[in-house]
Amino acid sequence: MEFVSNIHGIRNLDSLSRFSRGEAKFLESLHDHGGKMQAKELANKVGISTARVTAILNMEEEKGYIRREAIAGDRRKINVIMTESGEKEYQRRHQEVQDKFTAYFEFLGEDDTEHFFRIMNRTKEFMETRRKENQGE
């Protein structure tokens, strides 16, 4: 665990987490859904509370990444629409992550990268087994 904790503190990887998980997942979800979703759908997709969604909406709107639009006939429902700036920011963040992982795997080399993925797949199998066991309880 100390090893994982030390990796988490490395400055190079820190820039990947400078945005809250909610913010990054927010833009990704909007991008994946054609740039438009209802606020409640976003909350469900991202797995956060509607209160947190409101806070993120406020931040993202202030940055110019999204705009809100009331749905005709039911003003309680809001569409969240990704702006051009939001799409550019999503693409920038996505490319940044890809570049960092590419550099990481180049550093590891082919053999270590294959070992890494083998271990990650085994970890996924373990987690899926545990999840199934917990659902059966």
Side-chain angles (χ1 to χ4, degrees):
M1 293 307 287
E2 182 180 337
F3 172 76
V4 173
S5 179
N6 288 339
I7 286 178
H8 182 69
I10 294 175
R11 198 124 179 90
N12 222 6
L13 296 177
D14 190 44
S15 66
L16 293 178
S17 64
R18 78 184 133 153
F19 305 101
S20 77
R21 280 187 169 186
E23 285 181 277
K25 193 70 175 161
F26 220 74
L27 289 180
E28 179 182 5
S29 294
L30 279 170
H31 171 80
D32 291 349
H33 286 84
K36 182 178 179 179
M37 290 179 78
Q38 286 187 21
K40 188 173 182 174
E41 290 175 314
L42 269 169
N44 292 334
K45 176 78 175 165
V46 178
I48 58 178
S49 70
T50 53
R52 181 70 181 129
V53 165
T54 300
I56 293 172
L57 280 175
N58 291 339
M59 288 187 297
E60 297 300 290
E61 192 169 41
E62 194 173 293
K63 294 174 186 176
Y65 298 158
I66 60 109
R67 64 184 172 83
R68 295 183 246 204
E69 185 178 90
I71 295 175
D74 190 348
R75 299 194 61 80
R76 293 173 298 162
K77 293 183 180 178
I78 302 289
N79 275 328
V80 179
I81 301 162
M82 182 183 275
T83 64
E84 187 176 326
S85 291
E87 179 62 29
K88 286 179 183 176
E89 180 63 12
Y90 166 77
Q91 293 296 338
R92 186 193 67 73
R93 291 180 192 184
H94 185 74
Q95 188 62 52
E96 180 182 353
V97 170
Q98 282 186 325
D99 292 347
K100 289 187 185 240
F101 275 107
T102 298
Y104 175 64
F105 293 131
E106 286 173 354
F107 170 79
L108 286 180
E110 191 173 336
D111 288 343
D112 286 343
T113 298
E114 286 177 15
H115 289 297
F116 172 82
F117 281 107
R118 183 182 60 76
I119 290 168
M120 292 305 293
N121 283 324
R122 293 287 290 150
T123 301
K124 179 182 171 192
E125 289 172 20
F126 172 79
M127 298 302 284
E128 287 173 351
T129 301
R130 294 293 261 204
R131 183 177 43 81
K132 288 175 185 174
E133 288 172 357
N134 289 336
Q135 286 176 347
E137 292 177 359

